[in-house]
Structure formats: C-alpha cells, structure tokens
Amino acid sequence: MTLTDSPALREATGPRLGLAHLLRLRSHPDTHTAWLRERYGEVYTLRVFGVDMHVAHGPDAFEQVFVNRDKVFASGPAWSHFIGPFFHRGLMLLDAEEHLHHRRIMQHAFGQDELRRYHRLMLPHLRRHLAAWEGVENPRLQQMFKALTLDLALEVFVGVDLDDAQRRAVNRDFVDAVRAGTAVVRRPLPGGVGPWSRGLAARARLERFFREALPAKRREGGEDLFARLCAATDDHGNEFSDDDVVDHMIFLLMAAHDTTTTTLTSMAYQLARHPRWQDRCREESLAAPEPDVVGTADLPSLDLVMKESLRLCAPVPSIPRIATRETSIGGYRIPAGAFVTTSPYTNQHDAAIWPDPQRFDPERFAPHRREDKAHRLAFQSFGAGVHKCIGMHFAGMQVRAVLHELLTRYTWSVPPDYRLPIDLTALPVATDGLPVRLVVRTGRST
Ligand code: HEM
C-alpha cells in the first residue's frame, strides 16, 4: 500500500485566494496564522509566489522537515524556485553529498581563529562608521545598519581595494541581486526594466568582479573571507574551484547581509523600547571595554537580548523545502514534488512553547528559566539539520561588535507609544526604517 492509499492520512487544504491571505499574513502574521490553523488544521496549503506551499506548524514539524532523518526533503530545488537565477550554487542551494562536500570545505573559513581575524579587520571600519553617525539628521537605524553592514562586508568579506565609485557599484549590484530574489513579477520584462532583469544584470557583473579579483586573491592571500575561501581545504585536501569561490561569495554576501541588518534593527528597537535593558547592556559594555565578541562571557545581557530579538523577529521567517517522494507530516499527506514550509517566525510566537509569546522578556533564555529547552528545536532562527546556518557565530560576532560600539558611544530612544511596523512579504523589513532619537553619551571616554 502506498501512502496515498492510507485512509488515516488527511489531505491538506487551504484558501484559494492566495494573494488576499498573503497580504493579511504580511500585516497580521500571528492573528492570521492562528485563523488559518483553526480553519484548515496544522498543515494547510497556501499559494505563494506561484506555488502551492504546504505550510506545517510547530517544532515537531520543523524537526521532521529540517533535521530530515528520512532524507525526504530537498533544499536546493525549493530555494532555487525563489532565488536560483541570482544565487545559484550557493551552499543552501546544494543537496546531499555535494552539499556536505562543499560545507566541509567552507567550514574552515568559519573557525574561531578566522572569526577573531574578521573581527580585527572589521573594528577600525566599524568605529569610523559609527563616529560619523554623530552628524546624521533624522537617524533611521535600519537604513544606517544596512549601509554599515554592506560597507563592513566589503572589508571583511571581499577585501579588495576599491575607490568610492567602485564600492558604490558593487553595493548597488549586490542590493539589486537581493531585491530580485523577492520581486513580485518573477520574469524579465521587455527592455531589461524591472527588478528581475536588474538582478540578472547585477549577478553577471558580480560574477565578473569576483572572477577578475580571484587570481590575485589566490596568489596573495589575506585575512578576509574571500581569501579564506580561496585557501580553504577539507581534511582530504579538497579545495574550491574558481567557479565555486565566485558562487559561494555571491551567496554568502546575500545570506549575511539582510539577516544581520534585521537582527541589529530588532535589537536596537527593543533596547529603545526597554531602556532598563539598554542601561544593563551598556553597563556590561563599559565594564568590558575590549570584550571578546567571539565568545559570549563578557556581554551576557546583550546575548540574552539577541536571542529574544531573534525569537520575536526571525530574520528568515519561513524556510522552504521540496518533498522528493511522497510522505506525511502530522497525519497529513505530502505528495511527491510538493513545496513544504514551516516558519520560525510563527513557531517562535507559539504560546504552547513560549509563555506570553509577544512579550519582550530576554530572561526567558537565562540559566534559571531556559524556556528554549521546552523542545529540542524551540529556538529556530538559525534553522536546523545539515543546512543550519554556517554563519551563526559570525553573525553573533558582528552583532555583538556593532552593538557594543553603539552602546558605549550613544544612547537612543523611541516615543513610548512607538511600535516598529514590520513588512513580512519576504524578509522582515521595518517600513519606516526605525526612526530614533540618537544622542552622543556624555562622559564618553573614547
Ligand atoms: C542573525 C543572522 C542570521 C540568521 C538569522 C541566519 C539564518 C539562517 C537560516 C535560517 C539558515 C537555514 C536555511 C535553510 O535551512 O534553508 C541559514 C543558512 C545559511 N546561512 Fe545564515 N543566518 C544569519 C547570518 C548569516 C551570516 C552572517 C552568514 C555568513 C557569513 C550566513 C551564511 C549562511 C549560509 C552559507 C547558509 C547555508 C548553509 C547550508 O546550506 O549548509 N548566515 N541562515
């Protein structure tokens, strides 16, 4: 008997008006998800960006799909549907043996020693950049973080000497490639207009840029991620080809950039809304003028705030897969070839796991509470299984470094009734850019 014949399995159903539901999910993700679950059950279908997606809820479904013990769910074809033309052959778009082979090599660019080197490279640029925020009128932190992380990426990831015009051009191409991945019209339009065509042109220029810079990078080496990828080998001495390095570089820039910007933005927002936490984090930063941002010991409150901000606003809100053969989730049939997703964003707002889930309460992660232990995969922001974020510690290092500098240099606030408006169409974006009152700290010693 095949799964299809099993009378015990239910068919997932869902609303036909995909777009209307998507718009509601975008503005009211929690209440609309609760409504969909109540109406259609724990697995339902929703039309998203041209496909019928099977949406499954809860940490058990998350574990089944992403830990993927039965090797049913594929990442490459699912992500390729959304971002393939711009980020093909990035690590997340590979599967099975090939993925493991590439991941083992790439791992060598993400060790503790490498992170310390990246931090050393980053620090002078970070300090210069943040010093210039003193003169910014009407500061909007999300946009400032975005510009900052792009600039730091050129130093830490790319490490190629560029004049201002070249920096702007690489940044623009990179932003165009990312935007195209989440474009609503998902094909080139006549005359090369529209985000899709701009994204394809940007991808071609980025490939050219990295390919031209590659021979010197291989020859001369360096401390940046580009140089480390050129030099990385697995335990058997296998290394990346030139094509691999180019594809991985373009993907890594994308994987690192918006996710880190979102994390910084939601942490800065929560610290503005909760000045007692801002003070508490600042005290720890002032007590540790040169903290070890690769470890976690020196800034424990900031680490709690980071986890809680990532719980409340998962930077990758939904993660897709494709079922390579027929299977089932939670009593629902999943046909071969079906798109499946489960959402860290909504799972991390589930009251069954997280008491009072909408409340900002960093101490829920503290040793005396550890609410994240309610399930092996209660905390999902970095994914799980073989594709779990390889840049997780890099992200922690960068976020700690930026917020530590920000806390020692400035205080910032928002009006008491301010709430950050988030658009969840693709990745979470603050639609107003997070306007704040940014004040240089008096008595600052640097
Ligand atoms: C707070 C920031 C970040 C968050 C929340 C985040 C989240 C994620 C998630 C959820 C995945 C799994 C996707 C899947 O299973 O399909 C992932 C994969 C990945 N991330 Fe991150 N990420 C962050 C920062 C970074 C950074 C800074 C880098 C690089 C320096 C990076 C590189 C990658 C790569 C290469 C993968 C693919 C791993 C694989 O397929 O084996 N990420 N990330």
Side-chain angles (χ1 to χ4, degrees):
M1 187 169 85
T2 65
L3 277 176
T4 318
D5 304 323
S6 168
L9 289 181
R10 273 174 286 174
E11 296 294 327
T13 58
R16 297 305 338 143
L17 287 171
L19 184 61
H21 288 278
L22 269 188
L23 292 176
R24 255 173 264 157
L25 279 173
R26 176 173 138 172
S27 48
H28 300 99
D30 290 315
T31 47
H32 197 56
T33 298
W35 183 85
L36 285 165
R37 281 173 86 171
E38 180 129 330
R39 175 98 195 256
Y40 297 103
E42 288 303 279
V43 180
Y44 51 81
T45 55
L46 204 60
R47 198 147 182 87
V48 192
F49 290 129
V51 296
D52 281 326
M53 188 67 87
H54 286 66
V55 185
H57 284 284
D60 288 337
F62 189 87
E63 183 169 353
Q64 183 186 343
V65 174
F66 298 113
V67 176
N68 196 17
R69 289 187 185 90
D70 299 332
K71 301 199 178 344
V72 171
F73 298 101
S75 176
W79 277 114
S80 293
H81 177 81
F82 298 103
I83 58 172
F86 316 102
F87 298 104
H88 45 83
R89 297 201 54 78
L91 189 62
M92 202 168 74
L93 284 74
L94 303 178
D95 275 301
E97 273 311 306
E98 188 181 31
H99 166 259
L100 271 185
H101 173 70
H102 281 246
R103 184 154 172 134
R104 282 198 194 107
I105 301 177
M106 193 182 284
Q107 198 73 57
H108 288 263
F110 286 95
Q112 292 268 314
D113 289 346
E114 279 73 18
L115 293 190
R116 290 211 160 78
R117 285 199 205 111
Y118 301 146
H119 178 238
R120 273 201 300 277
L121 262 183
M122 178 188 305
L123 209 49
H125 304 283
L126 169 59
R127 287 187 171 147
R128 209 183 46 237
H129 211 109
L130 287 197
W133 286 10
E134 279 191 26
V136 174
E137 273 179 42
N138 303 321
R140 288 180 189 262
L141 281 182
Q142 177 178 255
Q143 284 144 14
M144 289 151 72
F145 286 139
K146 203 169 166 71
L148 169 68
T149 50
L150 264 179
D151 246 30
L152 293 180
L154 286 181
E155 307 301 334
V156 179
F157 281 55
V158 182
V160 173
D161 270 341
L162 299 173
D163 62 32
D164 277 356
Q166 288 169 315
R167 290 175 82 89
R168 277 198 299 277
V170 174
N171 277 349
R172 203 173 38 242
D173 282 342
F174 173 63
V175 169
D176 279 351
V178 172
R179 261 198 208 130
T182 55
V184 178
V185 180
R186 308 187 63 74
R187 60 189 151 75
L189 295 174
V193 296
W196 197 265
S197 303
R198 275 200 298 279
L200 292 175
R203 163 88 200 190
R205 281 192 298 268
L206 286 172
E207 280 186 17
R208 220 165 28 243
F209 168 76
F210 282 112
R211 212 173 290 287
E212 281 170 13
L214 209 141
K217 208 41 108 176
R218 282 218 189 269
R219 223 175 26 246
E220 291 155 21
E223 305 275 83
D224 51 85
L225 185 62
F226 190 11
R228 305 316 296 170
L229 279 192
C230 287
T233 54
D234 66 11
D235 295 343
H236 305 289
N238 297 307
E239 58 179 16
F240 286 136
S241 69
D242 288 359
D243 284 349
D244 292 338
V245 173
V246 171
D247 291 335
H248 285 315
M249 279 305 298
I250 294 173
F251 179 79
L252 279 167
L253 280 165
M254 188 277 289
H257 174 58
D258 277 324
T259 49
T260 309
T261 302
T262 305
T263 309
L264 288 167
T265 305
S266 57
M267 287 173 78
Y269 165 62
Q270 298 295 358
L271 291 173
R273 289 244 304 134
H274 301 91
R276 279 198 303 142
W277 275 97
Q278 191 179 138
D279 292 345
R280 181 168 153 177
C281 290
R282 182 171 297 106
E283 272 163 33
E284 285 171 9
S285 275
L286 292 173
E290 295 290 343
D292 177 7
V293 293
V294 174
T296 57
D298 295 341
L299 305 171
S301 299
L302 196 59
D303 286 326
L304 295 179
V305 170
M306 181 173 174
K307 284 190 187 134
E308 179 66 337
S309 306
L310 281 167
R311 180 189 72 79
L312 280 166
C313 186
V316 184
S318 280
I319 311 177
R321 293 289 187 264
I322 281 185
T324 55
R325 54 179 194 273
E326 190 179 42
T327 185
S328 68
I329 299 178
Y332 289 83
R333 192 176 77 83
I334 307 291
F339 275 83
V340 176
T341 187
T342 149
S343 158
Y345 188 96
T346 46
N347 286 341
Q348 290 179 162
H349 291 194
D350 192 337
I353 300 281
W354 305 95
D356 200 358
Q358 301 300 336
R359 199 169 109 85
F360 174 74
D361 179 9
E363 291 220 317
R364 60 171 91 237
F365 288 94
H368 63 289
R369 293 191 30 210
R370 290 308 301 262
E371 288 176 12
D372 54 316
K373 295 274 182 200
H375 187 282
R376 233 187 338 260
L377 284 173
F379 184 73
Q380 306 177 349
S381 285
F382 289 103
V386 293
H387 288 282
K388 184 170 178 179
C389 182
I390 203 171
M392 182 169 84
H393 297 296
F394 184 106
M397 177 274 286
Q398 185 166 14
V399 163
R400 268 183 227 119
V402 172
L403 277 166
H404 168 74
E405 292 296 321
L406 195 64
L407 284 160
T408 51
R409 226 170 236 285
Y410 298 100
T411 62
W412 65 99
S413 56
V414 289
D417 58 348
Y418 173 80
R419 297 292 178 274
L420 188 70
I422 294 281
D423 180 345
L424 268 182
T425 310
L427 302 178
V429 176
T431 50
D432 64 358
L434 180 54
V436 294
R437 185 160 175 270
L438 187 68
V439 178
V440 180
R441 279 187 57 245
T442 49
R444 184 163 55 80
S445 55
T446 50

